[in-house]
Amino acid sequence: MEGRNQTHVTEFILLGLSDQGEQQSLLFWLFLSMYLVTLTGNLLMILAIITDPRLHTPMYFFLSNLSFSDICFTSTTVPKMLLNIQTQSKVITYEGCLSQMYFFVLFGVLDNILLTVMAYDRFVAICQPLHYMVIMNPKFCGILLLVCWLLSIFNSLLHDLLILRLSFCTDLEIYHFFCELKQVIQLACSDTFLNDLGTYLAGGFLGGFPLTVILSSYSRIVTSILRISSVRGKYKAFSTCGSHLSMVSLFYGTSLGVYLSSAAAQNSRESTIASVMYTVVTPMLNPFIYGLRNRDIKQGLRKLFS
């Protein structure tokens, strides 16, 4: 019963990916390498889009914001984990945990909504090409970006405010390498009904609605492409959205994989390892997906280096 007593929380314990000392050095260099690749790849993507006037279009405008979001998304978790490994400390302060949860949820949701907006952009470009520049004008693109940020900020703020009302037990160990919202809620001694309700409602709306928009957009895109008579025309139309479709598949595929592994895992450690896919690997691969598949980005990168 003593372990369930309510207490004033000043810090949490992040148990990380492994308890074995000999694996800590390997994990440090592995995650440091992936973090540096993520930073470099996404920064190059942003610089290429900024410096090349040919890339000043709505699609690349949202892509540059997605790259910025990916940098921030990874930076909320990996540097703290690297610091803990290097200092052999697993402690994170209560305030630090709240801040980490806030920014992690913010940029995770922002990624999701930006992918949805990019799907709509591809829908307009392929299904209504003659009206594309009229519909996707700079003012409308700015409004879409503002809505993305406001929804993400409001959702993150809501979760943090709901966390502030909770009382925690003396058992404050988090089986993760960062303060994951669901696991922090599970440590509470007080009633978590509002937290669970907020999580399910936000997850249903900010997960289900964007996915519905993406599926609807691509169903109409596929229908439009199939109406094109020439094979070359079909290939050209599909190539404009192939990279984005790959990013959507990677994002939702890894998120679904983490959800299923969390439900089927025998312990929290297994789901923690699975979550590395969407927290670290996906932001690292996104620049390569666009860089390797998109001719305009390749030309922009060549121009940047030359």
Side-chain angles (χ1 to χ4, degrees), residues 149-181:
W149 276 98
L150 290 178
L151 284 175
S152 302
I153 290 172
F154 176 77
N155 176 65
S156 299
L157 187 61
L158 174 65
H159 286 302
D160 259 27
L161 291 176
L162 289 175
I163 289 291
L164 286 172
R165 56 179 287 276
L166 297 178
S167 299
F168 291 91
C169 308
T170 54
D171 181 14
L172 300 173
E173 293 183 341
I174 300 174
Y175 289 89
H176 223 303
F177 60 92
F178 66 94
C179 286
E180 200 267 333
L181 179 64

Side-chain angles (χ1 to χ4, degrees), residues 288-301:
F288 293 98
I289 292 174
Y290 256 96
L292 295 177
R293 294 176 59 94
N294 191 291
R295 183 177 61 183
D296 293 334
I297 290 292
K298 290 180 182 178
Q299 293 176 350
L301 290 172

Side-chain angles (χ1 to χ4, degrees), residues 15 25-26 45 59 67 71 136 156 160 207 212 245 251 272:
L15 297 181
S25 178
L26 175 63
M45 186 77 69
M59 180 177 71
S67 293
I71 291 174
M136 301 302 293
S156 299
D160 259 27
T212 302
L245 187 58
F251 181 85
T272 300

Side-chain angles (χ1 to χ4, degrees), residues 15 19 80 147 152 177 191 225 232 247 254 267 269 287:
L15 297 181
D19 291 327
K80 176 59 179 175
V147 171
S152 302
F177 60 92
D191 181 36
I225 292 177
R232 184 178 179 181
M247 294 171 70
T254 53
N267 56 63
R269 186 76 68 187

Side-chain angles (χ1 to χ4, degrees), residues 35-72:
Y35 181 60
L36 292 177
V37 170
T38 302
L39 286 180
T40 304
N42 284 287
L43 279 174
L44 287 176
M45 186 77 69
I46 294 172
L47 290 175
I49 293 172
I50 291 176
T51 56
D52 192 342
R54 293 173 301 176
L55 300 180
H56 293 175
T57 63
M59 180 177 71
Y60 296 114
F61 169 72
F62 293 118
L63 178 59
S64 63
N65 281 276
L66 181 68
S67 293
F68 173 76
S69 178
D70 280 340
I71 291 174
C72 297

Side-chain angles (χ1 to χ4, degrees), residues 155-266:
N155 176 65
S156 299
L157 187 61
L158 174 65
H159 286 302
D160 259 27
L161 291 176
L162 289 175
I163 289 291
L164 286 172
R165 56 179 287 276
L166 297 178
S167 299
F168 291 91
C169 308
T170 54
D171 181 14
L172 300 173
E173 293 183 341
I174 300 174
Y175 289 89
H176 223 303
F177 60 92
F178 66 94
C179 286
E180 200 267 333
L181 179 64
K182 182 179 178 181
Q183 293 199 29
V184 173
I185 293 175
Q186 290 175 348
L187 296 177
C189 292
S190 53
D191 181 36
T192 62
F193 173 76
L194 287 178
N195 297 79
D196 294 332
L197 180 64
T199 301
Y200 289 127
L201 289 178
F205 176 72
L206 296 175
F209 178 72
L211 183 59
T212 302
V213 172
I214 291 172
L215 292 177
S216 175
S217 297
Y218 271 102
S219 65
R220 299 183 67 176
I221 286 173
V222 170
T223 302
S224 297
I225 292 177
L226 292 177
R227 291 174 183 168
I228 301 175
S229 56
S230 66
V231 176
R232 184 178 179 181
K234 291 180 179 179
Y235 174 79
K236 183 178 180 180
F238 181 76
S239 65
T240 62
C241 59
S243 298
H244 176 259
L245 187 58
S246 299
M247 294 171 70
V248 169
S249 302
L250 182 63
F251 181 85
Y252 280 98
T254 53
S255 299
L256 181 62
V258 169
Y259 175 79
L260 294 177
S261 65
S262 299
Q266 298 298 319

